Amino acid sequence: MRLFHLSDLHIGLKLLNWDMREDQEYIFGQIAALAAEKRPDAIVIAGDIYDKSAPSAEAVEVFDRFVVKLREAAPEAAVMMISGNHDSPSRLDCFRSVLAGERLYTIGKPPVQDGEFMEKIVLRDAYGKVNFYLLPFVRPSMVRTVVGTKEDGSFLSYQETMEKLIGREKIDTGERNVFVSHQFYVPEGVEAKDVERMDTEVRTVGNVDAVGAGLLSVFDYAALGHIHKPMKVGSERIRYCGTPLAVSVSEAGQEKGVVMVDLQEKGTVHITKLPLKPLREVRVIKGELAEVLEFRCEDYVTVILTDRADLDVIDMRERLRLAFPNLLEIRRETKKTADYEREIDTEALPDPFALCCLFLKDMDEQDQAVMQDVINVVKGAL
């Protein structure tokens, strides 16, 4: 059983106000060509199909053409996709039952009512069954009816929620099982704050959405979405494939691609990364103005100027735009150092009481007396 693992298409995204439509269609054409060449039995897209929950008409057209290309390239393949945190679950669930008859499985909502379970798609090959468990992006509040709450009535944590959702499935470990999910999983023994994240990824305060990847060991392969950088999550068989092309400056220099997974007999999994070449790279070019201008190219470029002297060049921005037609931004790197030899003349510092009176205007004599007392107390404590 051969499958393609994709995720985080973010169709409709703008890179610092640059429309990525042409770039996305170009990379989708490459993916379709790979599908025609490698003939996968299944193509999974692990969430964040669109960049916004209400995508533009143009974004919907781009996705429509992509799915048509996949179907033409690999007509026998089952195409499975789930919603991510950027997607609208209801939008993706539209015509879900009808599309399933065409081996196109679009899963927008997780199980939300008693008696509902993860969408399970069963495919077969020479070695028997392969069970695909499809779980869209989940917040504890979304599945409270299914997983319950704590004794005090509060919601379960993300970790507890995922443990309950997976635990209630009747997974036959004697068969081959694939999990498709869009969550923030971290390797066992690694703190969430130590996982490298990209600029465009949505984060929670305190990383409360982190889930230990150990609970995914029951699956033969876990096709994950949400993290934009391609990475393993503590195991060769638990992976984020990353975005198919860079969607932020922080992804500059990353090698993007499709993860191809070959499942043979139970316990034998071969993983290959099929590289993708974008129409335009995302690059960061750093140096003095004269040096930077020598790197002229058509890529999306962030320029970081390191000139120490002030640049009194009236046409600097225009010269950079001529060298880089797809210029994203211009930054200046300034090096500030502390002058430890300098002595501070404390007597020349402004009087605290005068500063307070300047800031807190219209104080009467009583207010001024209170303020002076406060300042005296603070000075006495120093």
Side-chain angles (χ1 to χ4, degrees):
M1 179 75 62
R2 170 169 290 178
L3 67 95
F4 272 16
H5 172 195
L6 301 164
S7 78
D8 295 270
L9 308 182
H10 286 279
I11 300 173
L13 173 134
K14 292 186 184 298
L15 177 60
L16 294 179
N17 292 323
W18 282 94
D19 191 339
M20 300 290 286
R21 177 174 177 172
E22 183 183 12
D23 302 83
Q24 290 179 327
E25 292 197 295
Y26 181 85
I27 214 74
F28 294 159
Q30 281 193 43
I31 294 170
L34 286 172
E37 176 188 350
K38 301 298 183 181
R39 291 291 180 179
D41 302 291
I43 300 171
V44 300
I45 305 175
D48 279 356
I49 292 163
Y50 296 110
D51 190 58
K52 294 180 173 58
S53 59
S56 66
E58 291 80 8
V60 175
E61 289 174 2
V62 170
F63 182 55
D64 176 66
R65 285 194 289 271
F66 178 41
V67 173
V68 170
K69 286 181 180 179
L70 288 178
R71 179 61 78 212
E72 292 173 347
E76 301 302 320
V79 180
M80 312 175 196
M81 62 194 77
I82 61 173
S83 65
N85 56 298
H86 280 258
D87 296 312
S88 163
S90 298
R91 182 180 298 274
L92 206 59
D93 265 338
C94 189
F95 306 120
R96 173 170 166 173
S97 300
V98 174
L99 294 173
E102 300 298 322
R103 292 167 61 82
L104 180 61
Y105 304 95
T106 58
I107 314 303
K109 296 177 183 176
V112 295
Q113 300 293 336
D114 286 335
E116 293 182 353
F117 292 86
M118 292 185 204
E119 187 74 15
K120 179 182 175 182
I121 308 301
V122 180
L123 303 182
R124 288 176 171 80
D125 64 6
Y127 298 102
K129 294 196 301 183
V130 178
N131 305 307
F132 290 81
Y133 291 88
L134 311 181
L135 182 64
F137 176 70
V138 169
R139 293 186 181 89
S141 59
M142 297 166 62
V143 293
R144 178 178 55 178
T145 303
V146 172
V147 300
T149 59
K150 297 181 181 179
E151 291 184 1
D152 61 1
S154 60
F155 291 156
L156 300 177
S157 66
Y158 276 83
Q159 176 75 32
E160 293 164 335
T161 297
M162 292 304 299
E163 288 175 353
K164 290 251 188 179
L165 284 174
I166 293 175
R168 65 197 293 271
E169 300 292 327
K170 297 178 180 179
I171 299 173
D172 185 345
T173 56
E175 297 176 345
R176 293 168 296 167
N177 300 291
V178 175
F179 185 52
V180 184
S181 176
H182 191 96
Q183 300 287 152
F184 178 31
Y185 295 97
V186 297
E188 293 300 302
V190 175
E191 292 190 35
K193 64 181 179 62
D194 296 326
V195 177
E196 185 179 4
R197 307 290 299 276
M198 301 298 105
D199 292 345
T200 51
E201 294 175 23
V202 176
R203 311 185 192 193
T204 60
V205 176
N207 291 308
V208 297
D209 58 339
V211 179
L215 60 88
L216 305 183
S217 60
V218 67
F219 298 101
D220 294 86
Y221 183 76
L224 307 179
H226 194 44
I227 301 299
H228 291 179
K229 179 180 179 180
M231 61 180 288
K232 296 176 289 186
V233 191
S235 168
E236 290 283 342
R237 301 182 183 185
I238 305 174
R239 285 178 177 259
Y240 286 105
C241 63
T243 53
L245 79 166
V247 296
S248 68
V249 175
S250 61
E251 296 172 53
Q254 291 182 9
E255 183 179 323
K256 303 295 188 177
V258 177
V259 176
M260 184 174 71
V261 182
D262 286 300
L263 297 165
Q264 297 179 344
E265 67 272 11
K266 177 71 176 181
T268 303
V269 181
H270 296 289
I271 298 171
T272 308
K273 186 171 181 180
L274 308 176
L276 295 169
K277 179 67 176 176
L279 180 63
R280 288 173 280 257
E281 300 277 358
V282 175
R283 303 177 60 189
V284 176
I285 299 178
K286 182 177 179 180
E288 295 187 356
L289 179 61
E291 299 170 334
V292 167
L293 290 172
E294 296 178 1
F295 290 92
R296 59 180 62 243
C297 64
E298 300 288 327
D299 294 330
Y300 292 113
V301 174
T302 284
V303 170
I304 302 178
L305 297 175
T306 60
D307 299 75
R308 296 303 176 217
D310 288 338
L311 289 172
D312 272 337
V313 182
I314 297 176
D315 61 344
M316 177 188 70
R317 183 176 293 273
E318 186 61 28
R319 290 171 65 185
L320 286 170
R321 290 199 178 279
L322 286 173
F324 309 109
N326 296 300
L327 181 67
L328 295 175
E329 57 182 341
I330 303 170
R331 302 179 190 172
R332 291 294 306 274
E333 181 181 76
T334 56
K335 188 174 182 180
K336 296 182 179 179
T337 57
D339 183 1
Y340 294 105
E341 301 299 323
R342 179 186 172 196
E343 293 185 3
I344 298 176
D345 183 2
T346 56
E347 293 183 1
L349 292 175
D351 175 55
F353 178 73
L355 283 175
C356 291
C357 290
L358 184 63
F359 181 73
L360 300 172
K361 299 178 180 180
D362 301 324
M363 287 195 299
D364 56 26
E365 292 184 2
Q366 184 177 358
D367 293 332
Q368 292 180 10
V370 171
M371 180 60 65
Q372 187 64 69
D373 288 339
V374 170
I375 292 173
N376 292 338
V377 170
V378 172
K379 284 183 175 179
L382 296 177

